Amino acid sequence: MKKSFLLIISVLLMVSLLAGCATTVRVAIERPAELDLNGAKTVGMLPFQAKASDSIGGRNNAVVAVMEFFGYFDWFYDQDDQDRQQLADLLTRTLQQELSTSQYLDLVDTNRIQAALTSGTPVPCDVYLTGAISRFDTSIETVVRERNYSEGKQRVTYYYRHLEAELMYQVIDASTNRVISYKTVPIDLDSYEVTKRSDVDSVYSLGRKTFEECAYTIMKQLQPYTVEKYLSLLSDKHKDPDMDYADEVVKSGNTEYAESLYEELYVSRGYMEAGYNAAILLEAMGNLEDARDLMQEVYDIFKDNRALRALEDIKTEINSANRLKYQNEIRKS
């Protein structure tokens, strides 16, 4: 009986929590490039370099000495360099593909950039990108864990690959040879644990997704990019059916009509939640100045910290939108 009572209480609590969940609106927002490239229209890039390995990675000196004696020392270095080169090439390919389809920058052929740098002639683009894997260590590690089996506890050895690396890249103003930006990106990865050493992920498999993500991170520095943002509305505490109706209109996707309903309820009945939600929907529609003014009014009247946080967020979006507008205008000039 007690268990049944607790189950009923748990179900009621879950229903209550679900009922109290705020409605959210998903919006796509274009962000400005993280770097102001002074109206750059063309971009070049040199292939990412894989530097020579500094260590075999995780092997002690005694093992290294034995390997060197039997002629294996160079093979491990070669393999390490091959892994580095594969990942460097992946990063280069991903960046070239992204830049070749850019709506904001025209990609200049790499051979032209290299030829100009070699001959000392003007580089035929506005900015160019260089980079390298500045540090790279990989090893296969082991961990022993106890597992429960029908015959009792057993100690099982698991294997996994560890990869620790660092990327560096810089964006250079071709006309002045000035470094606009210099960044380093640390990478620290572990693969899934397996019971057979032969099943451990290869270095390339482990690093592939992260190196591709690094390429997308670099692209965000060079050109505007789009992000998804979720804006949460406040739940109605007045139990007003008109507020419930406005919420249903939001869920149906008619944001403009829902905003007018909330604003009317805010003016006629003085609901803080209605004013807040109207301002949030104005933000979702891109009417940022109107959203700021309304949210400022809501905060001034009710002094609610939720309105203050939303107001600061809207102001941040206005600054971001103004920076994007500036970047677009200077690029078109």
Side-chain angles (χ1 to χ4, degrees):
M1 184 66 179
K2 187 175 180 181
K3 289 184 178 179
S4 299
F5 179 74
L6 290 175
L7 179 60
I8 292 171
I9 293 296
S10 299
V11 171
L12 290 175
L13 180 60
M14 183 65 70
V15 170
S16 175
L17 288 173
L18 291 174
C21 288
T23 298
T24 59
V25 180
R26 184 178 67 177
V27 293
I29 301 175
E30 190 174 26
R31 298 273 191 239
E34 294 173 358
L35 293 176
D36 289 323
L37 299 180
N38 299 319
K41 300 179 178 66
T42 56
V43 61
M45 67 169 292
L46 300 177
F48 265 73
Q49 299 299 304
K51 295 184 179 179
S53 176
D54 294 324
S55 66
I56 291 177
R59 299 179 177 85
N60 62 42
N61 291 334
V63 175
V64 170
V66 172
M67 289 179 176
E68 187 175 14
F69 179 81
F70 285 105
Y72 291 118
F73 186 81
D74 289 337
W75 183 88
F76 276 104
Y77 267 101
D78 290 344
Q79 183 61 47
D80 208 26
D81 287 345
Q82 288 174 25
D83 293 330
R84 294 176 76 142
Q85 190 63 59
Q86 276 190 310
L87 291 170
D89 291 345
L90 171 66
L91 187 54
T92 298
R93 289 195 308 271
T94 306
L95 276 168
Q96 286 177 333
Q97 182 177 357
E98 291 295 312
L99 286 169
S100 66
T101 58
S102 172
Q103 301 175 22
Y104 305 93
L105 296 164
D106 292 326
L107 179 62
V108 177
D109 182 76
T110 298
N111 292 329
R112 294 179 60 196
I113 307 298
Q114 290 176 323
L117 291 171
T118 301
S119 62
T121 56
V123 179
C125 60
D126 296 321
V127 295
Y128 66 94
L129 176 72
T130 68
I133 300 176
S134 52
R135 186 163 58 85
F136 192 89
D137 294 297
T138 180
S139 59
I140 295 177
E141 305 291 342
T142 60
V143 61
V144 177
R145 303 188 187 281
E146 277 196 349
R147 291 290 180 258
N148 292 319
Y149 296 95
S150 57
E151 59 271 23
K153 289 185 177 181
Q154 294 185 16
R155 292 169 63 83
V156 180
T157 299
Y158 291 89
Y159 301 88
Y160 66 94
R161 182 176 296 282
H162 178 69
L163 173 61
E164 189 171 349
E166 184 178 74
L167 298 177
M168 62 74 60
Y169 66 92
Q170 53 189 3
V171 182
I172 300 170
D173 185 324
S175 61
T176 63
N177 207 34
R178 179 178 65 88
V179 176
I180 300 173
S181 176
Y182 177 92
K183 297 281 185 180
T184 58
V185 182
I187 294 172
D188 194 344
L189 301 172
D190 289 326
S191 68
Y192 289 111
E193 296 174 5
V194 294
T195 55
K196 293 182 180 179
R197 186 183 181 91
S198 58
D199 291 338
V200 173
D201 281 349
S202 67
V203 176
Y204 184 78
S205 297
L206 177 58
R208 179 171 184 168
K209 181 179 179 181
T210 299
F211 274 71
E212 287 176 336
E213 290 172 348
C214 287
Y216 303 138
T217 298
I218 293 171
M219 287 299 301
K220 286 162 64 175
Q221 288 216 298
L222 302 177
Q223 67 174 22
Y225 58 97
T226 301
V227 298
E228 282 191 345
K229 182 177 181 179
Y230 290 85
L231 301 172
S232 296
L233 305 185
L234 296 183
S235 301
D236 173 34
K237 68 177 183 181
H238 305 281
K239 307 302 180 185
D240 189 323
D242 290 336
M243 289 285 284
D244 291 338
Y245 176 65
D247 188 64
E248 291 301 319
V249 172
V250 174
K251 292 175 181 176
S252 73
N254 195 341
T255 305
E256 186 173 355
Y257 181 42
E259 188 280 324
S260 68
L261 291 173
Y262 277 125
E263 193 158 354
E264 182 181 345
L265 287 166
Y266 169 64
V267 173
S268 63
R269 302 180 196 178
Y271 295 156
M272 177 269 179
E273 294 83 1
Y276 179 101
N277 290 349
I280 290 295
L281 294 180
L282 285 169
E283 179 186 0
M285 292 187 292
N287 301 332
L288 296 177
E289 284 78 12
D290 291 341
R292 176 198 59 203
D293 294 345
L294 180 53
M295 193 65 80
Q296 181 71 63
E297 180 180 305
V298 170
Y299 176 70
D300 289 342
I301 294 172
F302 296 96
K303 301 301 181 184
D304 191 297
N305 285 333
R306 293 172 296 179
L308 179 60
R309 288 192 294 270
L311 178 61
E312 294 304 315
D313 180 68
I314 293 169
K315 289 178 179 179
T316 298
E317 291 296 345
I318 290 174
N319 291 336
S320 177
N322 288 338
R323 187 177 175 198
L324 175 64
K325 181 180 179 182
Y326 167 76
Q327 288 180 355
N328 287 335
E329 287 176 349
I330 193 172
R331 190 169 54 248
K332 293 175 182 177
S333 63

